[in-house]
Amino acid sequence: MSDSTSKDWKPRTHAVHGGTRRSQYGEVSEAIFLTQGFVYDSAEAAAQRFQAAGEDEFIYARYGNPTVRMFEERIALLEGAEDGFATASGMAAVSGALSAMLKAGDRVVSARALFGSCLYVLEEILTRYGVEVEFVDGTDLEAWEAAITPDTTAVFFESISNPTLEVVDIAAVSKLAHAVGATVLVDNVFATPAFSNAIAQGADVVIYSATKHIDGQGRALGGIILGTRDFIRKTVEPYMKHTGGSMSPFTAWVMLKGLETLDLRVRVQAGSALALAEALTGHTALSRVIFPGHSSHAQHALVQTQMGGKGGTVLSLDLKGGQEAAFRFLNALTIPVISNNLGDAKSILTHPATTTHQRLPQDQKDILGITPGLVRMSVGIEDPDDLIADVLQALEKAG
Ligand SMILES: *Cc1c(COP(=O)(O)O)cnc(C)c1O
């Protein structure tokens, strides 16, 4: 095995070469070590490895595997984190990171606008184990300040919320959390590793669903928890390796190959999302066009500092004609598909009120701005002119 990783490289170089481990065959493309276990040269060697495994010594794939390790190192280098632990899904990463560090009596402050399963973990599961959870409006710094009391252990939020694309100020919330010694965990899916400065801005732990932009081609579920070496190896790893939410070597290989083209894909997607936002802003069939990278977004200044002006790859449109118009619009599209993933090479549209957020009570939908006319569009890598033309003709048909 050889590891040719230089820490001085820029993110795009890390995305292609970071963490590479070559076997004695000198393969160009990373090897898939599709093995659950590892053979020891002697009984003494086995005993030694169980006592203290070195960097490139593996015991059991639930604990670690060379292909998984390549993925963990590559994305950690990309994100500017010391280390990472790869998980079976994004939710294994969210629930694993929180469960690994929390205990009964701890207090968590979280943004209210969350991915449905994240909300379930915080509201239904952690509270069952005696963790106190308070939800705040993620864009309201005064609400964060009031809620982050000295007994707060952790702060959790999605840096860009789904589906209304509100941006949480990572630096400001981290400052409030760190003043009381709380750990800041950021679910950074919508920012993507390409546009993230979350660690530099103060996040202690960054979590991705690799299912989204990292795979980027809708093939596999995966996730990653990134943080300090101490947090990952002493807090996260013992929890994950014993509870079983580790990533499979085959998935790690899919995600490694995804990282190689991540930057190319998401920059094209973000550019097309901005072009769509520009083409659609002011359209008579729409009451709102929400895109963090567009100058009309309420937090456009924050997007400049936090994401270098890139608003991600997702935009949301609110049709004046409500649910009926939204359904007519979705059904009239010819290029994007109706589905609920995001970050894919294919453009994907979702009607949150009747799908991803269906179970939310009406008052919560109202608070979060999930109106009957709202559709979420994950912009793919198709030609933007074709996408704009298709969306315009479908809006026409939606009436
Ligand atoms: C998709 C998603 C998750 C969950 O990831 P899975 O890979 O589906 O488990 C968590 N948070 C956010 C913001 C997501 O978009």
Side-chain angles (χ1 to χ4, degrees):
M1 290 283 170
S2 70
D3 180 355
S4 59
T5 297
S6 158
K7 294 265 183 217
D8 298 331
W9 289 337
K10 295 200 164 57
R12 285 171 60 174
T13 308
H14 283 311
V16 178
H17 294 287
T20 299
R21 286 163 159 74
R22 289 207 169 87
S23 77
Q24 70 272 32
Y25 300 113
E27 63 279 358
V28 173
S29 179
E30 295 75 4
I32 313 178
F33 290 90
L34 213 49
T35 179
Q36 129 288 327
F38 302 85
V39 175
Y40 313 100
D41 288 339
S42 65
E44 289 81 3
Q48 170 62 33
R49 197 172 298 182
F50 269 78
Q51 198 185 7
E55 260 292 288
D56 265 313
E57 294 182 339
F58 298 94
I59 292 172
Y60 195 68
R62 178 153 40 76
Y63 295 19
N65 167 287
T67 312
V68 177
R69 196 70 198 116
M70 284 193 261
F71 171 63
E72 290 169 343
E73 271 188 27
R74 184 169 294 180
I75 186 163
L77 285 160
L78 196 55
E79 191 69 28
E82 285 178 14
D83 212 341
F85 194 93
T87 58
S89 67
M91 284 321 302
V94 171
S95 64
L98 288 166
S99 305
M101 68 166 291
L102 293 170
K103 60 180 185 323
D106 283 349
R107 174 179 162 80
V108 179
V109 179
S110 169
R112 186 180 294 119
L114 294 178
F115 183 73
S117 299
C118 295
L119 185 64
Y120 185 84
V121 167
L122 283 152
E123 201 169 34
E124 305 290 335
I125 299 178
L126 291 179
T127 51
R128 205 193 295 160
Y129 293 103
V131 174
E132 182 195 344
V133 183
E134 181 172 345
F135 293 99
V136 298
D137 173 349
T139 63
D140 183 349
L141 283 177
E142 282 173 19
W144 281 111
E145 188 165 13
I148 299 173
T149 50
D151 59 342
T152 302
T153 317
V155 163
F156 180 82
F157 57 88
E158 292 169 16
S159 52
I160 301 182
S161 74
N162 170 30
T164 49
L165 311 177
E166 292 177 346
V167 185
V168 176
D169 188 335
I170 298 173
V173 176
S174 297
K175 208 167 148 199
L176 293 170
H178 292 159
V180 300
T183 301
V184 178
L185 300 99
V186 178
D187 180 335
N188 213 25
V189 166
F190 280 62
T192 86
F195 305 138
S196 168
N197 301 304
I199 299 256
Q201 269 146 3
D204 300 299
V205 181
V206 177
I207 297 162
Y208 288 102
S209 162
T211 316
K212 312 295 166 57
H213 305 82
I214 295 170
D215 174 0
Q217 291 168 74
R219 297 164 295 193
L221 285 174
I224 183 88
I225 306 166
L226 298 151
T228 62
R229 181 142 300 133
D230 238 37
F231 182 76
I232 296 300
R233 295 299 151 198
K234 293 191 181 146
T235 300
V236 171
E237 183 189 297
Y239 180 88
M240 292 306 305
K241 78 181 186 186
H242 293 304
T243 56
S246 308
M247 178 178 275
S248 90
F250 181 77
T251 298
W253 180 81
V254 171
M255 299 307 176
L256 267 169
K257 303 317 280 181
L259 282 182
E260 287 187 355
T261 58
L262 174 81
D263 195 277
L264 294 177
R265 285 183 282 108
V266 299
R267 275 181 208 283
V268 165
Q269 290 169 285
S272 296
L274 178 59
L276 273 156
E278 279 169 353
L280 298 173
T281 298
H283 192 286
T284 52
L286 299 170
S287 59
R288 288 188 292 173
V289 174
I290 311 171
F291 181 59
H294 191 262
S295 55
S296 65
H297 192 276
Q299 295 157 295
H300 190 60
L302 178 58
V303 175
Q304 299 299 315
T305 54
Q306 190 156 299
M307 295 172 67
K310 301 295 182 190
T313 66
V314 177
L315 72 159
S316 290
L317 311 173
D318 206 345
L319 282 91
K320 284 181 187 163
Q323 180 173 322
E324 282 179 20
F327 277 27
R328 277 198 301 274
F329 170 64
L330 291 183
N331 293 337
L333 288 162
T334 62
I335 300 170
V337 295
I338 301 170
S339 188
N340 35 264
N341 193 15
L342 61 97
D344 198 274
K346 297 178 175 70
S347 291
I348 293 176
L349 276 96
T350 309
H351 184 250
T354 55
T355 60
T356 54
H357 294 71
Q358 186 183 75
R359 275 188 296 267
L360 271 191
Q362 191 56 46
D363 62 319
Q364 288 293 311
K365 283 186 187 142
D366 293 343
I367 290 172
L368 297 175
I370 302 169
T371 52
L374 193 75
V375 295
R376 184 190 78 187
M377 178 169 186
S378 169
V379 181
I381 62 172
E382 302 95 338
D383 190 291
D385 292 343
D386 286 343
L387 289 176
I388 292 169
D390 196 29
V391 167
L392 288 174
Q393 68 78 25
L395 282 176
E396 194 74 30
K397 291 207 178 103

